[in-house]
Amino acid sequence: MSMRHAFVVPTYGESPYLRDCLGSLAAQERRSDVVVATSTPFDGLQALCDEVGARLVVHGPNRGIGPDWNAALDVAQAPLVTVAHQDDLYHPRFSAAVLDAHARSPCSALYFCDAGEVTGDGRPRDGGTNARIKRLLVAAAFAGRHSVGGAVSRRLLLGLGNPIVCPSVTINLEVAPGFRFREDLRTNMDWLAWLDLSQAGAVTYIDERLMDHRVHTNSETGRCLEDGRRGREHALRIGR
């Protein structure tokens, strides 16, 4: 029996990009379950989910991004889970590549791929120096390998920053069954999550650009940079 994979989309408010995101998930070459989880439903959300064949789960009350992501994990009903961001786009081969990577490396706790960037209106965007540094960190850590699990590789990958694009990650809950995101953070919870997962099992890199992260001023990252939250959360990596 083949491994099951699910996309869970923790939605907040009414994103103008949600339809495109769900459309990209419905267009996968190898179909995966798609679940929309929200604590802030809006008129028309159920109809949109029905249109693309997604399951809608409403939970509450709204307590922030960490609780939203954990609530999404709780309803995935699959061992391989991609927390898909509501503004982003997934290439048709994403699910197939993740399942192929799992078949090669079933003991990995975390799979991630290369990712591009698009603007708010969907045009390709050059990630600049930041994106190049992230790719260099990944290349140094993996050194041509598909998977890594040693302390030195983990430090090369995650010790100097977070080169992993959050919505490109698939979590293997069979390897890390008790995994949870930190609920007291807004921007660094993914970095700490990858550190925890990298200690639960190996990390596998899929060297293909399989999704596009949308960069726009109303994103959660943009809001955290604007209000200074990201800088404060960097200081919370005590003991890491």
Side-chain angles (χ1 to χ4, degrees):
M1 186 174 68
S2 62
M3 177 63 73
R4 289 186 58 217
H5 169 254
F7 293 101
V8 290
V9 189
T11 65
Y12 176 76
E14 187 171 358
S15 168
Y17 309 113
L18 179 59
R19 178 180 293 276
D20 288 343
C21 174
L22 293 179
S24 74
L25 303 184
Q28 293 295 302
E29 293 173 2
R30 200 181 304 182
R31 291 297 298 268
S32 295
D33 294 341
V34 180
V35 186
V36 174
T38 185
S39 58
T40 57
F42 57 87
D43 289 344
L45 179 57
Q46 182 66 67
L48 175 57
C49 290
D50 292 343
E51 182 181 322
V52 298
R55 177 164 58 94
L56 175 63
V57 177
V58 178
H59 61 92
N62 175 253
R63 296 190 294 113
I65 187 169
D68 274 1
W69 285 15
N70 284 329
L73 284 178
D74 289 341
V75 299
Q77 297 181 356
L80 296 177
V81 182
T82 302
V83 180
H85 293 194
Q86 64 183 354
D87 300 341
D88 296 339
L89 299 168
Y90 289 79
H91 298 194
R93 238 189 70 72
F94 185 97
S95 285
V98 166
L99 290 166
D100 289 346
H102 174 268
R104 290 193 303 268
S105 305
C107 293
S108 289
L110 182 158
Y111 306 84
F112 74 102
C113 65
D114 190 19
E117 292 184 0
V118 294
T119 61
D121 58 5
R123 289 178 289 114
R125 179 180 185 271
D126 182 1
T129 302
N130 188 43
R132 287 191 288 273
I133 291 173
K134 287 182 176 183
R135 289 190 173 99
L136 285 172
L137 289 172
V138 171
F142 283 87
R145 295 166 293 178
H146 293 296
S147 300
V148 296
V152 173
S153 297
R154 289 201 307 268
R155 182 171 294 278
L156 281 170
L157 181 63
L158 294 163
L160 298 175
N162 182 13
I164 298 177
V165 177
C166 182
S168 78
V169 168
T170 298
I171 299 163
N172 187 348
L173 293 174
E174 283 196 337
V175 173
F179 169 75
R180 306 297 285 176
F181 289 101
R182 284 267 302 263
E183 297 193 351
D184 58 328
L185 304 176
R186 280 173 53 199
T187 181
N188 268 354
M189 62 185 188
D190 55 339
W191 189 3
L192 297 179
W194 312 154
L195 285 164
D196 289 342
L197 286 166
S198 72
Q199 294 178 60
V203 178
T204 290
Y205 176 53
I206 305 168
D207 191 10
E208 296 180 59
R209 178 176 164 179
L210 295 171
M211 57 88 54
D212 291 309
H213 178 52
R214 195 184 302 267
V215 179
H216 59 97
T217 55
N218 289 325
S219 69
E220 181 64 16
T221 299
R223 288 191 291 268
C224 288
L225 286 169
E226 190 174 89
D227 67 14
R229 178 71 179 232
R230 188 165 197 165
R232 293 193 298 272
E233 290 189 5
H234 278 322
L236 293 178
R237 294 184 68 247
I238 299 170
R240 295 280 176 172

